[in-house]
Amino acid sequence: MNASAKTARMTYREAMRQAIREALQRDPRVFLMGEDVGRYGGCYAVSKGLLEEFGPERIRDTPLSESAFVGAGIGAAMGGMRPIVEIMTVNFSLLALDQIMNNAATILHMSGGQFNIPLVIRMATGAGRQVGAQHSHSLEGWYAHIPGLKILAPAVIEDARWMLWTALEDPDPVLIFEHQTLYNMEGELPAGSGPVDIEKAIVRRPGTDVSLISYGGSLHKVVQAAEQLAPMGINAEVVDLRVLRPLDNATIIESVTRTHRALIVDEGWRSGSISAEVSARIMEGAFYELDVPVGRVCTAEVPIPYAKHLEDAALPQVPVIVETVRALMGSNG
Amino acid sequence: MALQTLSQKSQPRAEHDLGLLRDMIRIRRFEEKCAELYSASKIRGFLHLYIGEEAVAVGAMGALGPDDNLVATYREHGHALIRGVPATSILAEMYGKQEGCSRGRGGSMHIFDAAHRFYGGNAIVGGGLPIAVGLALADKLQGRSQVTACFFGEGAVAEGEFHECMNLAALWKLPVLFCCENNLYAMGTALKRSESETDLCLKASSYEIPAWPVDGMDVTACEEAAKRAALAVRAGDGPCFLEFRTYRFRAHSMFDPQLYREKQEIEEWKKRDPIELYQNRLREQGTLSDADLKGIEDESAAEVAKAVEFAEAGTWEPIEDLTRFVYSDKTNP
Ligand SMILES: Cc1ncc(C[n+]2csc(CCOP(=O)(O)OP(=O)(O)O)c2C)c(N)n1
């Protein structure tokens, strides 16, 4: 990144909004559709102001009918449009799971390559705001299980600003998971930034001693942990997966091959999570490079509780990450 | 009114009427062959035959032009055939050959054909409705005057998706022609045992959608109703709903011993066989001669024979191509 380049300071929310606005300006086929995206301004205020700018045809409020409007997004994509469908939060996406899994993910294949689905679905994910179990799920790992979908988890301002561009260029359905706790996060958008790759993971902090592999909301906790580890003499590398499907094997394996230790931090539940997949891939691809078994810090296997102390205890937190890394490092830590 | 026109036997009218008969016979003979091929294990998987319901697809299709869209269910061979998908490529698909319309990846339930705007072939009851809504939305947003015809069984009206889609299509005044094929049974579940309100038109009307019941055993009634409804839809007034009252003479699928209905009931309905009814009517009017009928039968037999030959001669997609069409790529045909 060019240090002298002028940067702009903005929130994650604003970066998302700029991305959507630009998409609407750039391509008349793009429209945003979802519950309360228009008059209300988006339940996380991402689309605030867009209705006034683009009108109700393109900033389209929908009834509470996840299955119908997600499926309508699929049909509209097949009909030549480039819909961005917003699902308020990932928990409600389960009402549209049939459309996402049985239609969006399968039609290209079932039709022998005749119909692609250039659809983008955005939704908020994750916990940490004391909103109880039904509003705190992290199911992006589930969706990453499904061939035919691409799964993105923008964790930084630059990705929030630019992943949508690439997603809209993609001929296949792309799901973007935006962690609830990130919308208010402020950061710098490098002046020269532009469309980001949606096939590659990225090293956010180079290091030599251990690979901390994470994505989305947890990434920031991992970066903090890495900073706390530095004065202890542990130089941690932070890998941001940012694309959960397709998983970028090469970057993961390359990092672990250099550091010989890996810790995966994932807000999903441990059993059957994306962390399990990453761990298995390290075992398959870099087993003999490992000095210690791969470690994982995941969400406790409970529905996310409401009470703050319980919610905090359920989720991956910086001190646990630091402790786990120290344990991985053995006596050297 | 229509009958008077018929009895005058103007040449194009007679041709048109013979065409309706021919199309019904084409479906019937094609599917009889499918049943035979299924017993011979040439066709595997689920096979749902349309026998008894031919008047609906044939009649309704008369209201559609080549630019209109069609969304169907797993009982869709007839719709595909009348829409113009070649019998050869439909049957090759059922054989699982790469010459099939979906390159052997779809099978009987997933006929797709981009060239004929045939958007599947959907095996999830209700699953095609949102797609139809979306296709219609795309047309409306792009200022086109196409109609999207969506076929589904009466079983779908119990699904939430049906209600979500009725509401959405009516709310947004979308050009969808909802064609409900009420054959009284969803597998073994009779409508009267599954719905508190069995008047399906009433359900659609409650969403402010104009709805008409149609005698689904009478091909001209089907055609007239569909033409009238399609005209209204094309005029931009929003969706219409047609309830085609019909009956399937065969089992739900090839696995169904039909324990849920009396033989006598089936025999009663067979007296209203849409092909025989129409054939008799055309004879009475002097439109159909023995020679005409023989011509139609010979033609249909030839079409079926050619399809079988084509499917038999078809080739298997190489295993190396297994993962093609999961994501779009440049090698797509
Ligand atoms: C959502 C869903 N639930 C259950 C099934 C299993 N199933 C396949 S066909 C069928 C009956 C559907 O009846 P109907 O919609 O009336 O259509 P028909 O088969 O009579 O043409 C059922 C229950 C399914 N395919 N999809």
Side-chain angles (χ1 to χ4, degrees), chain A residues 94 103-104 109 129 142 149 174 184 193 199 229 239 292 311 333:
Chain A
L94 301 182
N103 285 335
H109 191 80
R129 292 173 5 116
W142 275 19
L149 303 179
V174 180
N184 284 328
S193 66
E199 310 239 299
L229 287 163
V239 177
V292 289
E311 183 182 48

Side-chain angles (χ1 to χ4, degrees), chain A residues 20-270:
Chain A
I20 297 168
R21 179 189 289 125
E22 174 195 60
L24 288 155
Q25 287 167 343
R26 181 164 63 107
D27 186 345
R29 298 172 303 173
V30 171
F31 66 101
L32 176 71
M33 165 163 72
E35 291 158 2
D36 282 317
V37 297
R39 260 159 248 284
Y40 188 88
C43 90
Y44 291 94
V46 168
S47 50
K48 203 163 179 194
L50 296 181
L51 175 67
E52 290 71 22
E53 196 175 339
F54 296 99
E57 289 272 278
R58 301 189 71 200
I59 305 297
R60 185 168 282 265
D61 278 321
T62 64
L64 308 184
S65 305
E66 283 77 8
S67 200
F69 72 75
V70 170
I74 295 167
M78 293 171 89
M81 299 298 287
R82 291 291 177 274
I84 304 171
V85 174
E86 176 176 311
I87 301 177
M88 271 191 189
T89 39
V90 63
N91 41 335
F92 310 129
S93 77
L94 301 182
L95 282 84
L97 192 52
D98 165 52
Q99 288 298 324
I100 297 171
M101 167 120 65
N102 283 321
N103 285 335
T106 57
I107 283 177
L108 177 69
H109 191 80
M110 287 195 309
S111 69
Q114 291 184 80
F115 292 107
N116 63 302
I117 318 280
L119 169 71
V120 174
I121 303 175
R122 299 172 40 240
M123 60 186 110
T125 187
R129 292 173 5 116
Q130 282 197 266
V131 288
Q134 291 183 339
H135 282 78
S136 301
H137 296 315
S138 292
L139 300 180
E140 52 278 358
W142 275 19
Y143 284 101
H145 179 64
I146 307 171
L149 303 179
K150 293 186 179 171
I151 308 298
L152 311 185
V156 302
I157 303 296
E158 188 175 356
D159 285 356
R161 175 64 183 84
W162 287 109
M163 272 185 162
L164 183 68
W165 175 294
T166 328
L168 282 167
E169 300 277 293
D170 200 284
D172 298 317
V174 180
L175 274 56
I176 304 182
F177 289 84
E178 302 162 18
H179 199 284
Q180 304 184 30
T181 60
L182 295 182
Y183 287 117
N184 284 328
M185 178 184 75
E186 275 194 51
E188 302 292 336
L189 180 70
S193 66
V196 298
D197 199 316
I198 57 169
E199 310 239 299
K200 294 273 189 302
I202 189 167
V203 174
R204 294 287 180 201
R205 183 188 193 280
T208 50
D209 299 334
V210 58
S211 299
L212 305 183
I213 301 166
S214 191
Y215 68 90
S218 302
L219 181 78
H220 302 276
K221 295 175 180 173
V222 168
V223 170
Q224 270 184 52
E227 269 146 26
Q228 291 181 19
L229 287 163
M232 300 173 195
I234 299 171
N235 183 10
E237 174 151 304
V238 176
V239 177
D240 178 2
L241 293 173
R242 61 175 190 170
V243 185
L244 304 188
R245 180 179 269 274
L247 263 181
D248 176 7
N249 252 10
T251 301
I252 298 168
I253 299 300
E254 196 273 333
S255 175
V256 174
T257 301
R258 268 190 300 101
T259 63
H260 308 292
R261 291 179 177 83
L263 176 72
I264 306 157
V265 181
D266 176 9
E267 206 179 300
W269 292 297
R270 178 188 301 255

Side-chain angles (χ1 to χ4, degrees), chain A residues 29 31 33 57 60-81 95 98-99 102-103 105 107-116 146-150 171-173 245-246, chain B residues 93 101-103 105-106 110 112-115 117-122 124 126-128 130-135 137-142 144 161 164-165 167-168 171-172 174 321-328 332-333:
Chain A
R29 298 172 303 173
F31 66 101
M33 165 163 72
E57 289 272 278
R60 185 168 282 265
D61 278 321
T62 64
L64 308 184
S65 305
E66 283 77 8
S67 200
F69 72 75
V70 170
I74 295 167
M78 293 171 89
M81 299 298 287
L95 282 84
D98 165 52
Q99 288 298 324
N102 283 321
N103 285 335
I107 283 177
L108 177 69
H109 191 80
M110 287 195 309
S111 69
Q114 291 184 80
F115 292 107
N116 63 302
I146 307 171
L149 303 179
K150 293 186 179 171
D172 298 317
R245 180 179 269 274
Chain B
E93 185 58 35
C101 55
S102 305
R103 300 182 69 102
R105 284 165 169 78
H110 303 298
F112 286 88
D113 190 336
R117 310 189 78 86
F118 196 85
Y119 292 89
N122 202 308
I124 311 294
I131 292 184
V133 167
L135 285 164
L137 176 61
D139 284 335
K140 185 167 179 163
L141 287 173
Q142 290 167 101
R144 298 188 294 240
E161 247 169 3
E164 292 186 18
C165 288
N167 181 49
L168 211 54
L171 186 72
W172 291 348
L174 298 178
D321 287 351
L322 171 68
T323 58
R324 274 184 82 187
F325 315 124
V326 176
Y327 297 99
S328 306
N332 280 357

